[in-house]
Amino acid sequence: MDAIRVPLIAGNWKMNHGGVSGVVLAASVAEIACETAGIEVVVAPPFTALAAVAHAVEEVAQRRGRAPIGVAGQNLHIEAKGAFTGEVSAPMLVEAGCRWVIVGHSERRQLFGETDELVAKKTLAAIVGGLHPIVCVGETLEERTAGRTLDVVLRQVRAVLEPLGRALGAAVLAYEPVWAIGTGKVATSADAQEVHAAIRATLSQRDGALAARTRILYGGSVKPENSAELLSQLDIDGALVGGASLDADGFGAILRAARPAS
Ligand code: 13P
């Protein structure tokens, strides 16, 4: 981590925790975040839990006198409204209390056919709608084994960087090797750092200030036991956490590990 970039830890709950258990978890995470200075924290519940979670977080903020965590959608549609059954737009996420949205998660790319082009359109729709997108990139095991990791990841980065340019300053990038997601196989900190540095170099070719400011998160089997080592790398500015964000103790331990040394 570099001091100019505030570490960001985001919990992607995926299709776990509805409004009832989600409110309890978010309130606990918000309390822990109040005690953990120097980092930014986001949780991404399923759509149906967003408003209740945002409300619970606001209640903690009122009581503690500071906004402890942000709330993210896990996906969005590119249009603001219309006949798109089952979809949710950026303005709707904002109305539900979100300031963030995850875009192009590998599960969206692999299971729901999202292309680089669609991911770029969603990233733009998020920014235009007033949200900070967390744009996910990452290679499959087959691509890594074939030595194509940087080709694939940098192609995905350029697909958002080329059309958006400096507007990408509102976004955070997340490198999530697909083979490390939910498998317990974490990239070594050196391998992750190599990819993060290559992503930052690609941003830098376009805009040095953008590269210096943009946070690049690592995701894929981040746990309390491995988070400090990953976060100690120069170009790893935080984590996008799946399974370990589903309970407050585990996520809280990751938040504490992310605290900058004082
Ligand atoms: P896990 O932490 O469960 O591997 O999930 C990572 C992820 O996909 C976060 O978006």
Side-chain angles (χ1 to χ4, degrees):
M1 280 180 289
D2 185 293
I4 94 165
R5 300 183 292 270
V6 174
L8 171 65
I9 308 295
N12 177 7
W13 295 358
K14 308 191 179 184
M15 200 169 71
N16 298 288
H17 288 300
V20 175
S21 59
V23 159
V24 176
L25 173 57
S28 305
V29 170
E31 293 287 352
I32 296 168
C34 283
E35 308 297 332
T36 318
I39 61 169
E40 200 169 354
V41 181
V42 168
V43 293
F47 288 143
T48 56
L50 285 173
V53 162
H55 189 262
V57 169
E58 180 55 31
E59 209 176 84
V60 175
Q62 295 281 327
R63 188 156 34 78
R64 303 288 298 249
R66 56 174 290 216
I69 65 176
V71 180
Q74 297 177 14
N75 181 29
L76 82 167
H77 192 269
I78 58 173
E79 299 291 344
K81 63 177 183 165
F84 302 103
T85 302
E87 294 293 311
V88 170
S89 70
M92 290 169 182
L93 292 176
V94 170
E95 191 180 63
C98 296
R99 284 190 299 116
W100 297 85
V101 63
I102 297 171
V103 177
H105 190 278
S106 64
E107 286 149 20
R108 301 290 323 165
R109 292 178 190 259
Q110 293 205 306
L111 305 175
F112 301 96
E114 294 198 4
T115 60
D116 286 351
E117 193 189 359
L118 182 60
V119 171
K121 286 183 178 163
K122 288 188 173 198
T123 304
L124 180 62
I127 294 169
V128 168
L131 291 163
H132 296 289
I134 301 172
V135 184
C136 303
V137 297
E139 83 288 2
T140 62
L141 183 56
E142 203 184 6
E143 289 161 343
R144 173 159 283 259
T145 312
R148 296 182 48 229
T149 298
L150 292 183
D151 285 353
V152 171
V153 169
L154 300 182
R155 184 203 76 222
Q156 292 169 337
V157 170
R158 287 192 195 99
V160 286
L161 180 61
E162 276 162 18
L164 272 78
R166 200 164 272 189
L168 205 59
V172 166
L173 300 181
Y175 168 55
E176 298 206 306
V178 178
W179 49 269
I181 294 177
T183 58
K185 287 187 200 143
V186 64
T188 65
S189 53
D191 283 347
Q193 165 59 25
E194 185 191 351
V195 177
H196 282 235
I199 294 173
R200 201 175 304 287
T202 300
L203 296 177
S204 184
Q205 282 159 13
R206 172 77 188 239
D207 184 328
L210 177 73
R213 269 199 332 263
T214 300
R215 288 175 289 185
I216 308 172
L217 314 183
Y218 171 80
S221 297
V222 175
K223 308 279 178 232
E225 312 79 78
N226 59 27
S227 55
E229 160 77 15
L230 286 160
L231 294 168
S232 70
Q233 302 299 306
L234 185 64
D235 290 295
I236 299 183
D237 308 309
L240 182 53
V241 185
S245 72
L246 297 178
D247 75 88
D249 288 346
F251 197 52
I254 294 172
L255 301 188
R256 283 186 275 273
R259 246 181 329 201
S262 51

